Amino acid sequence: MTDTTSSEPQPPRRILFLFSDTGGGHRAAAEAVIAALEQKYGDAVHCELIDVFRSYSPAPFKYAPELYPIWIKRGKLMWTLGYHMSDRRGQPRMMTFLVRSIWRKFKQGLDRLFQEHPSDLIVSVHPLFNTLAMVSLRKLPQRPPFVTIVTDLVSTHAFWFNRHVERILVPTEPAYERGLKFGIMPEKMRITGLPVHPRFASSLLSKPDARAKLGWDDKLITILLVGGGEGMGPLYHIARRINALKLPCQLAIVAGRNEQLRDNLNHVAWNQPTHVYGFVTNMPELMAGADILVTKAGPGTISEACMAGLPMIISDHIPGQEYGNVSYIREHNAGVYARGPERVAQVVQKWLTEAPEQLRARAENARKLARPNAVWEIAEELWHYANQAPVPQPAKPKRGSAARRRFPRFGFRLRK
Ligand code: UDP
């Protein structure tokens, strides 16, 4: 623990965040927490954000940030299969083999990462780095405390839950239940909500102010279309279907980093006022100015929309990790799932024609799901663990002993 009685100035507590730009959500969560830590603890904290795939992994993993959107789009079936095969407590033999082969490729990079970036606390905001990092850290006589911030909302993959870490912060009750199912002790977990950047809440203008700032029509109902950071899903076709209906509304479409999508959208002859954006840094303004959000089921976007009180039409989801988000929003009546561009356009038309109270009720339900304090609660948790003493390694169970069989090196049982 930091000695608070000493008058010597303490060196800043070093917090190392492990993430990767596979989608926009992991970076968004880490940056949100770092901003809160810096606002709350100032110079007393020093944070580093490392893209483990990009900076410390061999090919082809180092290209994961570029490959991820392509894989999700073109290899949906393989992704779904791999996701479900690995998402269980007892891994089938094939998965054991895969995890071990992957581990061999990562080993040197991770060892180098922890040597080059000594820290007082390690925080993972990515499911793939929890177990791999713990295996690497196991070789040291002592290691910094390790905290996992789960950034999937509901269908949280087994890889998020490693029993050896000190703390696991989960966004929702269903994610907590999954942690229990994967053998995490209740006292190790806490439901905090998903961290949303502190700037988000403070930049939420009133609707008229946001629209004036954005140059949007202040009378028309506004539909905001987003496909995550990468502009994924059939956004182009959805926008075209809505356009064909010639509805009394305006559209704001965020193509994210998908330049091709942005270019295609800029060549459409729009029947209503339409604003096309690339990657935006003013999402709170866009959400504050909008009335309806059409989005894929990204956890970051959903959590932000809840804070902005924005009812959602979920048009798409990444199989596996985003599946549960759809039912979460539907069950709380904060939005609906509409599969395919035709269906989305029909729902938009229906929502525009029904009584405005219906839209207001959905907006209120979305707001009820928001956890604006999540980022501050998480920052406090991390500060607490950053001030804890390093964790000594437990004695290694002997080869072949019952303990070794029960609690193998990967932190979860690899075989049934
Ligand atoms: N985002 C952004 N600018 C954009 C598009 C998205 O800042 O142009 C942010 C969005 O506000 C959210 C994150 O990127 O915080 C997307 O995360 P989400 O979990 O919804 O989807 P992912 O991209 O991870 O699949």
Side-chain angles (χ1 to χ4, degrees), residues 83-405:
Y83 187 96
H84 289 295
M85 273 176 70
S86 56
D87 186 25
R88 45 173 102 180
R89 192 166 172 186
Q91 306 293 326
R93 270 172 199 278
M94 177 57 115
M95 275 320 291
T96 309
F97 171 75
L98 277 177
V99 171
R100 291 219 161 118
S101 341
I102 290 172
W103 163 238
R104 281 189 201 111
K105 303 223 178 302
F106 273 90
K107 192 169 169 308
Q108 281 177 348
L110 281 170
D111 291 352
R112 190 160 59 82
L113 163 64
F114 295 125
Q115 264 167 27
E116 289 176 0
H117 300 275
S119 62
D120 300 302
L121 172 66
I122 300 171
V123 179
S124 162
V125 293
H126 200 287
L128 289 181
F129 305 139
N130 304 296
T131 295
L132 293 175
M134 290 309 282
V135 179
S136 170
L137 291 165
R138 228 175 54 116
K139 283 178 295 198
L140 307 174
Q142 57 179 27
R143 61 165 175 85
F146 195 107
V147 176
T148 300
I149 302 173
V150 177
T151 65
D152 286 326
L153 269 186
V154 178
S155 348
T156 40
H157 192 278
F159 287 172
W160 280 111
F161 300 104
N162 184 290
R163 290 185 281 182
H164 298 311
V165 308
E166 275 56 56
R167 192 79 160 140
I168 303 181
L169 305 173
V170 294
T172 59
E173 186 78 34
Y176 180 86
E177 294 298 328
R178 280 184 64 84
L180 294 179
K181 184 180 147 200
F182 289 120
I184 306 295
M185 304 302 282
E187 58 274 17
K188 228 176 218 193
M189 285 189 289
R190 176 175 169 194
I191 306 173
T192 53
L194 197 85
V196 170
H197 202 288
R199 185 181 56 217
F200 194 92
S202 60
S203 316
L204 275 176
L205 306 171
S206 70
K207 207 174 286 292
D209 287 352
R211 288 186 179 191
K213 204 164 168 197
L214 291 160
W216 293 357
D217 188 301
D218 65 343
K219 305 243 168 13
L220 288 171
I221 292 212
T222 306
I223 327 276
L224 175 64
L225 294 97
V226 185
E230 307 298 332
M232 283 193 250
L235 264 198
Y236 176 74
H237 298 287
I238 292 171
R240 292 279 309 264
R241 286 310 306 154
I242 298 174
N243 193 43
L245 295 176
K246 300 189 176 159
L247 300 169
C249 67
Q250 69 185 326
L251 304 183
I253 314 171
V254 178
R257 296 188 189 89
N258 190 336
E259 286 298 325
Q260 179 68 53
L261 172 63
R262 186 182 186 182
D263 196 42
N264 292 345
L265 289 167
N266 277 328
H267 285 92
V268 175
W270 298 105
N271 295 321
Q272 62 285 300
T274 299
H275 309 268
V276 175
Y277 302 90
F279 190 86
V280 299
T281 52
N282 60 342
M283 193 59 91
E285 276 166 24
L286 270 68
M287 287 198 180
D291 299 290
I292 295 169
L293 174 69
V294 175
T295 177
K296 78 172 186 76
T301 306
I302 288 179
S303 304
E304 291 164 1
C306 290
M307 282 177 70
L310 202 48
M312 285 159 258
I313 300 172
I314 300 198
S315 57
D316 195 16
H317 65 275
I318 298 178
Q321 70 264 41
E322 288 184 357
Y323 181 72
N325 303 356
V326 178
S327 36
Y328 185 69
I329 289 304
R330 272 170 45 185
E331 276 160 23
H332 291 87
N333 204 13
V336 296
Y337 178 54
R339 191 157 178 221
E342 188 64 44
R343 184 83 191 104
V344 173
Q346 282 168 6
V347 175
V348 169
Q349 187 171 36
K350 180 166 170 274
W351 282 17
L352 291 186
T353 46
E354 67 190 16
E357 295 79 60
Q358 303 249 37
L359 206 54
R360 273 202 288 277
R362 287 193 198 96
E364 208 34 56
N365 291 335
R367 215 184 297 276
K368 281 188 204 145
L369 294 177
R371 296 188 74 125
N373 280 332
V375 74
W376 301 109
E377 289 174 19
I378 292 172
E380 281 164 20
E381 283 270 354
L382 298 191
W383 178 249
H384 168 77
Y385 281 97
N387 284 288
Q388 298 291 305
V391 182
Q393 295 301 351
K396 242 189 200 166
K398 285 209 179 76
R399 210 170 243 282
S401 72
R404 175 84 177 237
R405 283 196 299 276

